[in-house]
């Protein structure tokens, strides 16, 4: 393990998060944790299970899953090193996601790294922490996300973007490529290769190789 | 929608399932369900949340997540059309996973499709439903999985294998390519392309293109 690699992760959930935005990165971290012990806090507004289906006006026939939080935003441990913020339909509910935005704003100064997937970058943008920084987001929702952060330098063609200690990825599956790049950066290329081999995942290792940027 | 495409899915959980085995396929189904209404039953032995960390002898420092079931195996609806069986470390506990094996054996005659990911094929093999059929599994666990189904025609070089109404995939991430192939087969190529575009997922559409078979 490289000296100083982070071990305390948290994920910021909210009703209507996108499942793969969370479980793409977390499954890689689950595998990593067998060789590099980690801690993971799963945060939400309450300790009730959090559904991928938005609480307000769910679409008839839409299916989803519910995840169990470990801590609330109010009771979150103060030693989080890496905060992962997913996207999803729930991000469109500005009132419902305000506690997530407030948590990002309050916590960011103490974080070592902030990672967002998909429209999760809209929450970071609303928290003001992306102002003046390069960032990307889901390609089908790009215009809306840009409207949430007019002072952000939005990058359309990017599988993911790293700017300082903030990593933002494109839509859903792009979060998997981002977490492998993050693992390679923080735990070494061998660790990333080992996790990808266990997961049988063919990485996109070029952050500028974005097959979906045309949709933006 | 193609006539006769399935709409009632179930996923068979157990302690120590692999998160991405479940959420790779389910996230694609979640997206699909916005255009093709679905039902999803999340099954376990009890209604308690099910952790990706094996209940017995968890590895210190290993992190995981817990999912909320909707039904028990005993109370599962009898109209399941597609059963998805994940793999994971929990499959190594033969006693703990026996209820899953029993459920597969009892339910298979009424299923339209059985899908397994990773070492989930070991559970299907133990249920006897793979006997005489072509199937694949996780490449790093291939020898052990073969030992669980000596009468199965195990295919080493395959991202996934379809034999009749049974689809089996290689390890973890391979389940994503399999579910897209299944969606294309059952709901049409346009539906699969649409879901992959939303998910920004670059599909492997060749079931024989298996970059990890050398590990087997």
């Amino acid at each position: 393990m490289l000296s100083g690699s982070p071990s305390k992760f948290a994920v910021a959930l909210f009703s209507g998060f996108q499942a793969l935005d969370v479980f793409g990165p977390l499954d890689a971290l689950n595998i990593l944790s067998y060789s590099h012990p980690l801690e993971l806090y799963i945060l939400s507004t309450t300790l009730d299970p959090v559904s991928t289906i938005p609480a307000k006006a769910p679409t008839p026939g839409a299916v989803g899953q519910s995840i169990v939080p470990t801590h609330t935003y109010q009771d979150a441990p103060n030693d989080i090193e890496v905060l992962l913020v997913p996207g999803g339909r729930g991000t469109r509910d500005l009132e419902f996601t305000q506690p997530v935005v407030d948590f990002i704003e309050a916590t960011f100064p103490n974080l070592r790294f902030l990672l967002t997937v998909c429209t999760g970058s809209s929450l970071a943008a609303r928290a003001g922490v992306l102002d003046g920084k390069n960032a990307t987001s889901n390609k089908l929702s790009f215009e809306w996300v840009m409207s949430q952060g007019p002072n952000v330098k939005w990058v359309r063609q990017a599988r993911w973007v790293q700017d300082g200690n903030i990593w933002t990825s494109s839509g859903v599956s792009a979060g998997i490529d981002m977490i492998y790049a993050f693992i390679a950066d923080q735990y070494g290329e061998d660790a990333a290769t080992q996790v990808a081999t266990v997961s049988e995942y063919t990485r996109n290792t070029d952050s500028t190789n974005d097959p979906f940027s045309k949709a933006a």
Side-chain angles (χ1 to χ4, degrees), chain A:
Chain A
M1 191 187 309
L2 299 183
S3 173
S5 50
S7 65
K8 296 177 192 299
F9 288 74
V11 55
L13 296 190
F14 47 87
S15 169
F17 73 91
Q18 186 76 27
L20 195 60
D21 291 15
V22 168
F23 284 99
L26 288 195
D27 196 72
L29 294 177
N30 289 351
I31 295 170
L32 178 72
S33 70
Y34 283 104
S35 56
H36 299 69
L38 302 177
E39 289 184 59
L40 174 68
Y41 314 127
I42 302 174
L43 312 178
S44 184
T45 45
T46 74
L47 290 178
D48 293 335
V50 189
S51 177
T52 60
I53 298 177
K56 282 191 200 164
T59 303
V63 297
Q65 300 79 42
S66 291
I67 312 310
V68 183
T70 62
H71 299 79
T72 66
Y73 290 117
Q74 288 196 311
D75 298 330
N78 59 11
D79 61 355
I80 300 169
E81 294 176 282
V82 185
L83 179 64
L84 174 70
V85 180
R89 292 191 172 218
T91 59
R92 303 294 180 124
D93 188 329
L94 302 189
E95 181 184 346
F96 204 88
T97 51
Q98 191 58 46
V100 188
V101 172
D102 292 343
F103 183 79
I104 295 169
E105 185 176 3
T107 311
F108 182 73
N110 298 319
L111 292 178
R112 290 180 59 194
F113 301 98
L114 173 65
L115 278 56
T116 74
V117 179
C118 194
T119 50
S121 54
S122 75
L123 303 174
R126 287 166 54 200
V129 301
L130 293 182
D131 281 354
K133 306 226 176 205
N134 297 293
T136 195
S137 192
N138 180 291
K139 295 305 150 64
L140 293 177
S141 300
F142 214 79
E143 303 302 322
W144 176 77
V145 173
M146 285 199 301
S147 75
Q148 302 301 305
N151 299 318
V152 180
K153 297 174 185 169
W154 294 106
V155 182
R156 286 178 183 265
Q157 185 176 325
R159 188 69 173 162
W160 73 88
V161 168
Q162 179 190 2
D163 190 332
N165 66 340
I166 302 181
W167 299 58
T168 55
S169 89
S170 289
V172 195
S173 307
I176 304 178
D177 289 320
M178 181 183 74
I179 199 72
Y180 278 107
F182 180 79
I183 290 171
D185 187 64
Q186 289 297 310
Y187 305 86
E189 189 61 39
D190 285 355
T193 299
Q194 195 262 338
V195 173
T197 301
V198 170
S199 187
E200 299 189 23
Y201 184 71
T202 302
R203 293 170 57 191
N204 174 350
T205 56
D206 178 357
S207 66
T208 67
N209 177 6
D210 179 9
F212 300 95
S213 58
K214 282 174 295 191

